[in-house]
Structures are given as C-alpha cells and as structure tokens.
Amino acid sequence: MFTVGLVVNPVAGLGGSVGLKGSDGADVQREALSRGAVPHAGERAAQAVRTLLSRRPGTRLVTVSGAMGEDSVQGAAELVRLPPPPDGHTTAADTRAAVTAFAEAGADLVLFAGGDGTARDVLDAVRGLGGQAPPVLGIPAGVKVYSGCFALSPATAGFLAAGFDPESTLEAEVVDLDEERYRHGLVSPRLYGTVRVPDARTGLSGRKAGSSSAVPATAEGIAREVVSRMLPNVRYILGPGATTMAVGRELGVVTTLLGVDVIESGRLVAADVSEGELVDLVRGREAVVVLSVIGGQGFVLGRGNQQISPKVLDGRELLVLATQQKLAALKGRPLLADSGDDELDRKLSGHVQVITGYRESTIYRISAASEESFG
C-alpha cells in the first residue's frame, strides 16, 4: 500500500501578513499573534491532502496528533504518537521526530507543510536516517520559500504525491537563511543541503535565483517607467524587492527593501505595512499594486508579500516589474500567483504587461500556481 507521512509546522508563515518577514523563533511567533496573525499552514496542508486522496484513493496516510497533522486530515489518517511538547508548543525537534516516525512506519513519501526553516528540520531528520530516509516534498506554507524542494502550491503538492513513483526522484536544494539578517535587508541564502524529491520539475518551485547579475541601470530604467505612469491622488502599493525599491529612489523617497510601502502623489504615505494597515490605507481609494518577480521561481504573489492579500488585490490594477534577464531565465514558464485564494488567482490568470525598462514592456503569461502542473 502506498504510504504518505504528513507533518505540519503550525506556525509556518505566521509572520508574513503582519510584516515580520518570517516566523522563526518563539518571540517572533508571539509578536505575530499579538499583531493579529492567523495560522494558515494547516489549511494549506489540508488542500494538499484533499488533492492527494481524490487522485489516489486508498493511500495510507500517517500523521501526528493535533495541529502538526491530525487537524488537517479530518480523520483520514493513522496517528503516530510523539511525546507531547513540555510547554504545549511544537518545535523543530517535533518535526524531526515526526519524519523519523514516518520512516519507521514505512512511508514511501513525506509531505511537510512549512517554509525554509521547516525544510531544514526535515533535512536534519533525513540525514539522521541515512539510507532509510524516504523522499520528501514541501507544501509551501512559509513566508518566503526559497528552497527548491517545495511544490508550486498545496494542490500541486497533492497532485505530485498522488502520481509519485518511488523509482523516480531527484535531488532538490534546501536553503538556509538568517531571518534576523533578512529583516534588516540582508538577503544571504546559502545552500544547507539537498533532499530527494519526486522527479517532477514542472511541479517544483525551484530555488530562488539572486538578482546580482542584473545590470543596475536596468532597475533604474524600470523605475523611471513606473514613475512616468503614476497618476496624482492614486495610492501605489510597492511590494518587496530591489526593483520596486528603485521606484522609491526615483521618487526621492526612502522605501523598504523587504517590506510593503504605500506612495501617493510622489510622497511616502506609509512604510513596511501589515495586511491590516494596508487594507485601511486603500479602503475606498483608487490604488495600484506594483510587484516584482522572484528570480528563478517566477512568483509574483504569495512569496514574501503576504501583506498584499486577496482583500487588497481584488479588482485592483497590477503593475508587474522584471528585467528581460529574469524573464528569459524562466525559459517560457509562466509567472505564478499563490495569494491563498484560488478563485482570485484564477481571475488573475491570462496575460499581463510586464515593465522591463524605460519605455519597454512585454506581454507575459501569468498562471494560478494551484493549476499550473495540472495542464
């Protein structure tokens, strides 16, 4: 019988919508909750499980109790017992213990819901198991998700798991990123190691590629074009990234590299805002959302910009920014939207104008991440 293990990091992605740029560490998690953050990792794991079971009925599903898995499967899984956390809060050690327990239960594949920190914990467990470790696959539920071992979306994770052939795997990268440095604008991911994943390249997000190879003048040209299109009394929401930050420089205002900022009539209205603050700032106003593309992955929504939620997006104009080099590196693969609202992502699907320089743009396909591997 085909057996899949499922482990969920309940706090993965918790800091995204409230502007904390990550969820690692108990202090950050407490701060996120105090700001009104709502956990979504369990919901995303449940979506993957539904897709898996609908496409491969009879799959034996094994998970752990509570928010680390049981809550996402609605009674459709066997439980393996782990010692309860001393203070009731799950830790990286619980993730490692779950992966080990799944291997002992004969799992053919381990699904884990989380972000890059969870991927590192899973890799640590895999290393401890040696040749007995099953392949793994990430359900994207973190803030950034830079590692290459994640599926494009929760539904894609379930789709790939359902079609998994244990004889067909490849090595995918797990990235280590210091979140504290990241919060200060220092993006320095390094390779932590590799794990075996299903050999399904079209359904995997791939590792994020840096932007260091781009000619600096290119970003400035894109920024000039964006500013030339700006209208008075319209609020412009600038997503994270070096390209959108160049828009601020062109206007002569200081914006944040990894946060979400709001500009109107050439001045900064608010910097590094949360989802709730952003909803209030654009309520009843005309607003345009300005987003850059994640190199190597193609994501426009759902990776590092969860503050720009469906509540903010629905019905608003999008301006997408990318260098020609970044688009060429995608090799024809579409831009991707994973806002957390499948209906909205489908509305956004089709073709979008991408600004690539001053007086330069191109039309490029954008797709809902949840549907891309099904085509």
Side-chain angles (χ1 to χ4, degrees):
M1 182 180 292
F2 179 56
T3 300
V4 174
L6 171 72
V7 60
V8 178
N9 177 356
V11 297
L14 200 61
S17 65
V18 292
L20 293 178
K21 308 170 186 66
S23 306
D24 288 356
D27 290 344
V28 173
Q29 293 156 18
R30 282 193 291 269
E31 176 64 18
L33 291 170
S34 73
R35 294 186 184 188
V38 178
H40 292 291
E43 296 173 15
R44 292 174 75 80
Q47 186 178 5
V49 169
R50 288 194 299 270
T51 303
L52 164 61
L53 296 180
S54 68
R55 290 181 171 267
R56 196 161 179 170
T59 297
R60 176 184 175 229
L61 196 62
V62 182
T63 190
V64 290
S65 61
M68 287 191 70
E70 182 182 15
D71 294 350
S72 299
V73 300
Q74 299 180 344
E78 300 175 21
L79 295 182
V80 295
R81 298 295 175 184
L82 300 179
D87 60 356
H89 297 289
T90 59
T91 66
D94 297 304
T95 298
R96 294 192 294 268
V99 174
T100 301
F102 298 154
E104 294 171 350
D108 298 292
L109 177 69
V110 170
L111 289 175
F112 67 93
D116 293 316
T118 312
R120 296 194 299 271
D121 298 334
V122 169
L123 175 52
D124 288 341
V126 165
R127 285 170 170 163
L129 289 165
Q132 304 302 310
V136 306
L137 179 62
I139 302 166
V143 175
K144 300 168 295 297
V145 192
Y146 284 174
S147 299
C149 57
F150 288 90
L152 291 174
S153 70
T156 305
F159 176 79
L160 297 183
F164 176 58
D165 176 359
E167 300 300 319
S168 183
T169 63
L170 56 81
E171 294 291 321
E173 297 167 314
V174 174
V175 165
D176 186 25
L177 183 68
D178 186 324
E179 280 197 0
E180 193 57 39
R181 288 172 56 83
Y182 181 85
R183 291 187 183 96
H184 289 88
L186 301 172
V187 185
S188 53
R190 66 179 181 88
L191 179 64
Y192 189 70
T194 62
V195 289
R196 282 192 303 142
V197 299
D199 186 359
R201 289 176 176 82
T202 59
L204 298 172
S205 63
R207 181 179 173 183
K208 178 189 181 297
S211 305
S212 58
S213 61
V215 179
T218 308
E220 301 307 324
I222 292 172
R224 285 178 62 200
E225 178 62 18
V226 173
V227 171
S228 74
R229 297 185 182 199
M230 286 183 165
L231 300 173
N233 304 315
V234 175
R235 294 203 159 171
Y236 290 85
I237 301 164
L238 302 185
T243 309
T244 47
M245 193 176 187
V247 175
R249 287 198 302 272
E250 182 69 18
L251 288 167
V253 299
V254 178
T255 57
T256 52
L257 175 63
L258 301 172
V260 174
D261 308 304
V262 180
I263 285 175
E264 180 182 348
S265 300
R267 66 180 183 86
L268 183 68
V269 175
D272 203 6
V273 296
S274 68
E275 177 201 16
E277 291 168 333
L278 192 52
V279 169
D280 289 340
L281 285 166
V282 299
R283 182 180 290 115
R285 293 177 176 268
E286 185 177 356
V288 175
V289 182
V290 184
L291 300 169
S292 61
V293 177
I294 293 184
Q297 295 184 337
F299 278 96
V300 175
L301 285 168
R303 300 294 183 270
N305 56 14
Q306 285 88 350
Q307 303 96 312
I308 305 174
S309 69
K311 292 179 183 178
V312 176
L313 285 162
D314 201 11
R316 300 194 187 278
E317 179 186 352
L318 292 186
L319 279 183
V320 179
L321 320 180
T323 63
Q324 289 284 7
Q325 299 98 311
K326 192 174 282 189
L327 293 180
L330 294 176
K331 299 179 180 178
R333 288 178 287 121
L335 303 178
L336 297 169
D338 183 18
S339 69
D341 183 328
D342 287 346
E343 183 178 350
L344 174 61
D345 292 343
R346 285 191 289 270
K347 285 181 182 178
L348 294 174
S349 296
H351 289 82
V352 65
Q353 184 181 53
V354 181
I355 298 174
T356 58
Y358 184 61
R359 297 291 186 260
E360 293 179 0
S361 65
T362 189
I363 302 299
Y364 203 93
R365 185 164 68 95
I366 185 169
S367 174
S370 61
E371 297 186 344
E372 180 54 26
S373 67
F374 294 83

